[in-house]
Coordinates of all heavy atoms in Angstrom, one line a residue:
P9 N -62.2 -3.3 -8.3 CA -63.3 -3.8 -9.1 C -64.1 -5.0 -8.5 O -65.3 -5.2 -8.8 CB -62.7 -4.2 -10.4 CG -61.5 -3.3 -10.5 CD -61.0 -3.2 -9.1
T10 N -63.5 -5.8 -7.7 CA -64.2 -6.9 -7.1 C -64.7 -6.7 -5.7 O -65.2 -7.6 -5.1 CB -63.2 -8.2 -7.0 OG1 -62.0 -7.8 -6.4 CG2 -62.9 -8.7 -8.4
D11 N -64.6 -5.4 -5.2 CA -64.9 -5.2 -3.8 C -66.3 -4.6 -3.7 O -66.9 -4.6 -2.6 CB -63.9 -4.2 -3.2 CG -62.6 -4.9 -2.9 OD1 -62.6 -6.1 -3.0 OD2 -61.6 -4.2 -2.5
G12 N -66.8 -3.9 -4.7 CA -68.1 -3.2 -4.6 C -69.3 -4.1 -4.8 O -69.2 -5.1 -5.6
S13 N -70.4 -3.9 -4.1 CA -71.6 -4.7 -4.3 C -72.4 -4.1 -5.4 O -73.4 -4.7 -5.7 CB -72.4 -4.7 -2.9 OG -72.7 -3.4 -2.6
G14 N -72.1 -2.9 -5.9 CA -72.8 -2.3 -7.0 C -72.0 -1.3 -7.6 O -70.9 -1.0 -7.2
D15 N -72.5 -0.8 -8.7 CA -71.7 0.2 -9.5 C -72.5 1.5 -9.5 O -73.4 1.7 -10.4 CB -71.5 -0.3 -10.9 CG -70.6 0.7 -11.7 OD1 -70.2 1.7 -11.2 OD2 -70.5 0.5 -12.9
Y16 N -72.2 2.4 -8.6 CA -72.9 3.7 -8.6 C -72.6 4.6 -9.8 O -73.2 5.6 -10.0 CB -72.6 4.5 -7.3 CG -73.4 4.0 -6.1 CD1 -72.9 3.0 -5.3 CD2 -74.6 4.6 -5.9 CE1 -73.6 2.6 -4.2 CE2 -75.4 4.2 -4.8 CZ -74.9 3.2 -3.9 OH -75.6 2.8 -2.9
L17 N -71.5 4.2 -10.5 CA -71.1 5.1 -11.6 C -71.7 4.7 -12.9 O -71.4 5.3 -13.9 CB -69.5 5.0 -11.7 CG -68.8 5.6 -10.5 CD1 -67.3 5.5 -10.7 CD2 -69.1 7.1 -10.4
G18 N -72.6 3.7 -12.9 CA -73.3 3.4 -14.1 C -72.4 3.1 -15.3 O -71.7 2.1 -15.3
S19 N -72.4 4.0 -16.3 CA -71.6 3.7 -17.5 C -70.2 4.3 -17.3 O -69.6 4.6 -18.3 CB -72.3 4.3 -18.7 OG -72.4 5.7 -18.6
G20 N -69.7 4.5 -16.1 CA -68.4 5.1 -16.0 C -67.3 4.2 -16.3 O -67.5 3.0 -16.6
V21 N -66.1 4.6 -16.1 CA -64.9 3.8 -16.5 C -64.6 2.8 -15.5 O -63.8 1.9 -15.7 CB -63.7 4.7 -16.8 CG1 -63.9 5.7 -17.8 CG2 -63.2 5.4 -15.5
F22 N -65.2 2.9 -14.3 CA -64.8 2.0 -13.2 C -65.7 0.7 -13.3 O -66.9 0.8 -13.2 CB -65.1 2.7 -11.8 CG -64.4 4.0 -11.7 CD1 -65.1 5.2 -12.0 CD2 -63.1 4.1 -11.3 CE1 -64.5 6.4 -12.0 CE2 -62.5 5.3 -11.2 CZ -63.2 6.4 -11.6
I23 N -65.0 -0.4 -13.6 CA -65.8 -1.6 -13.8 C -66.0 -2.3 -12.5 O -65.4 -2.2 -11.5 CB -65.0 -2.5 -14.8 CG1 -63.7 -3.0 -14.1 CG2 -64.7 -1.8 -16.1 CD1 -62.9 -4.1 -14.9
H24 N -67.1 -3.2 -12.6 CA -67.5 -4.0 -11.4 C -67.4 -5.5 -11.9 O -68.1 -5.8 -12.8 CB -68.8 -3.7 -10.9 CG -69.4 -4.6 -9.9 ND1 -68.8 -4.8 -8.7 CD2 -70.4 -5.5 -10.0 CE1 -69.5 -5.7 -8.0 NE2 -70.4 -6.2 -8.8
L25 N -66.6 -6.3 -11.2 CA -66.5 -7.7 -11.4 C -67.1 -8.4 -10.3 O -66.8 -8.2 -9.1 CB -65.0 -8.1 -11.6 CG -64.2 -7.4 -12.7 CD1 -62.8 -8.0 -12.7 CD2 -64.9 -7.6 -14.1
D26 N -68.1 -9.3 -10.6 CA -68.8 -10.1 -9.6 C -67.7 -11.0 -8.9 O -67.2 -11.9 -9.6 CB -69.9 -10.9 -10.2 CG -70.7 -11.7 -9.2 OD1 -70.3 -11.7 -8.0 OD2 -71.6 -12.4 -9.6
P27 N -67.5 -10.9 -7.6 CA -66.4 -11.7 -7.0 C -66.7 -13.2 -7.1 O -65.8 -14.0 -7.2 CB -66.5 -11.3 -5.5 CG -67.1 -9.9 -5.5 CD -68.0 -9.9 -6.7
S28 N -68.0 -13.6 -7.1 CA -68.3 -15.0 -7.2 C -68.0 -15.6 -8.6 O -67.9 -16.8 -8.7 CB -69.8 -15.2 -6.9 OG -70.6 -14.6 -7.9
A29 N -67.9 -14.8 -9.6 CA -67.6 -15.2 -11.0 C -66.2 -14.9 -11.4 O -65.8 -15.4 -12.5 CB -68.6 -14.6 -11.9
T30 N -65.5 -14.3 -10.6 CA -64.1 -13.9 -11.0 C -63.1 -15.0 -10.8 O -63.1 -15.7 -9.8 CB -63.7 -12.7 -10.1 OG1 -64.6 -11.6 -10.3 CG2 -62.3 -12.2 -10.5
K31 N -62.3 -15.2 -11.9 CA -61.3 -16.2 -11.9 C -59.9 -15.5 -11.7 O -59.8 -14.3 -12.0 CB -61.3 -17.0 -13.2 CG -62.7 -17.7 -13.4 CD -62.7 -18.4 -14.7 CE -64.1 -19.0 -15.0 NZ -64.1 -19.7 -16.3
M32 N -58.9 -16.3 -11.4 CA -57.6 -15.7 -11.2 C -56.5 -16.6 -11.8 O -56.6 -17.8 -11.8 CB -57.3 -15.5 -9.7 CG -58.1 -14.4 -9.0 SD -58.0 -14.5 -7.2 CE -59.2 -15.9 -6.9
V33 N -55.5 -15.9 -12.4 CA -54.3 -16.6 -12.8 C -53.1 -15.9 -12.2 O -53.0 -14.7 -12.2 CB -54.2 -16.5 -14.4 CG1 -52.8 -17.0 -14.8 CG2 -55.2 -17.3 -15.1
Q34 N -52.3 -16.7 -11.5 CA -51.1 -16.2 -10.8 C -49.8 -16.4 -11.6 O -49.6 -17.4 -12.2 CB -51.0 -16.8 -9.4 CG -52.1 -16.6 -8.5 CD -51.8 -17.1 -7.1 OE1 -50.8 -16.8 -6.5 NE2 -52.7 -17.9 -6.6
T35 N -49.0 -15.3 -11.5 CA -47.7 -15.4 -12.1 C -46.7 -15.1 -10.9 O -47.1 -15.1 -9.7 CB -47.4 -14.4 -13.2 OG1 -47.4 -13.1 -12.7 CG2 -48.5 -14.5 -14.3
K36 N -45.4 -15.0 -11.2 CA -44.5 -14.7 -10.2 C -44.8 -13.5 -9.4 O -44.6 -13.4 -8.1 CB -43.1 -14.7 -10.8 CG -41.9 -14.5 -9.7 CD -40.6 -14.5 -10.4 CE -39.5 -14.3 -9.4 NZ -38.1 -14.3 -10.0
H37 N -45.2 -12.4 -10.0 CA -45.4 -11.1 -9.4 C -46.8 -10.6 -9.4 O -47.1 -9.6 -8.8 CB -44.5 -10.1 -10.0 CG -43.0 -10.4 -9.9 ND1 -42.3 -10.8 -11.0 CD2 -42.2 -10.3 -8.9 CE1 -41.0 -11.0 -10.6 NE2 -40.9 -10.7 -9.3
F38 N -47.7 -11.3 -10.2 CA -49.0 -10.7 -10.4 C -50.1 -11.7 -10.2 O -49.9 -12.9 -10.3 CB -49.1 -10.2 -11.9 CG -48.2 -9.1 -12.2 CD1 -46.9 -9.4 -12.8 CD2 -48.5 -7.8 -12.0 CE1 -46.0 -8.4 -13.1 CE2 -47.6 -6.8 -12.3 CZ -46.4 -7.1 -12.9
V39 N -51.3 -11.2 -10.0 CA -52.5 -12.0 -10.0 C -53.5 -11.3 -11.0 O -53.8 -10.1 -10.9 CB -53.3 -12.1 -8.7 CG1 -54.5 -12.9 -8.8 CG2 -52.3 -12.7 -7.6
I40 N -53.8 -12.0 -12.1 CA -54.7 -11.5 -13.1 C -56.2 -11.9 -12.7 O -56.4 -13.1 -12.7 CB -54.4 -12.0 -14.5 CG1 -52.9 -11.9 -14.7 CG2 -55.2 -11.3 -15.6 CD1 -52.3 -10.6 -14.7
H41 N -57.0 -10.9 -12.5 CA -58.4 -11.2 -12.2 C -59.3 -11.0 -13.4 O -59.2 -9.9 -14.1 CB -58.9 -10.2 -11.1 CG -58.1 -10.3 -9.8 ND1 -58.5 -10.9 -8.7 CD2 -56.8 -9.8 -9.6 CE1 -57.6 -10.8 -7.8 NE2 -56.6 -10.1 -8.3
Y42 N -60.2 -11.9 -13.7 CA -61.0 -11.8 -14.9 C -62.3 -12.6 -14.8 O -62.4 -13.5 -13.9 CB -60.2 -12.2 -16.2 CG -60.0 -13.7 -16.2 CD1 -60.8 -14.5 -17.1 CD2 -59.1 -14.4 -15.5 CE1 -60.6 -15.9 -17.2 CE2 -58.9 -15.8 -15.5 CZ -59.7 -16.5 -16.4 OH -59.5 -17.9 -16.5
V43 N -63.2 -12.3 -15.6 CA -64.4 -13.1 -15.8 C -64.4 -13.6 -17.2 O -63.9 -13.0 -18.1 CB -65.7 -12.3 -15.5 CG1 -65.8 -12.0 -14.0 CG2 -65.9 -11.1 -16.3
S44 N -65.1 -14.7 -17.5 CA -65.0 -15.4 -18.8 C -66.2 -15.1 -19.6 O -66.2 -15.5 -20.8 CB -64.8 -16.9 -18.6 OG -65.8 -17.4 -17.8

């Protein structure tokens, strides 16, 4: 989701998250990526 520069799928299920706005929370085994 954070790798594409655009979303060719329009309203598809594949979401696009702007890397510059994406935040991260790390746990022992995971990194949670999200925008606020």
Side-chain angles (χ1 to χ4, degrees):
T10 53
D11 286 352
S13 59
D15 181 7
Y16 278 93
L17 293 177
S19 61
V21 301
F22 307 94
I23 65 171
H24 170 67
L25 301 180
D26 182 356
S28 64
T30 300
K31 303 176 182 179
M32 289 166 284
V33 169
Q34 295 189 54
T35 69
K36 182 177 180 180
H37 299 105
F38 299 94
V39 179
I40 314 298
H41 303 257
Y42 72 102
V43 294
S44 56

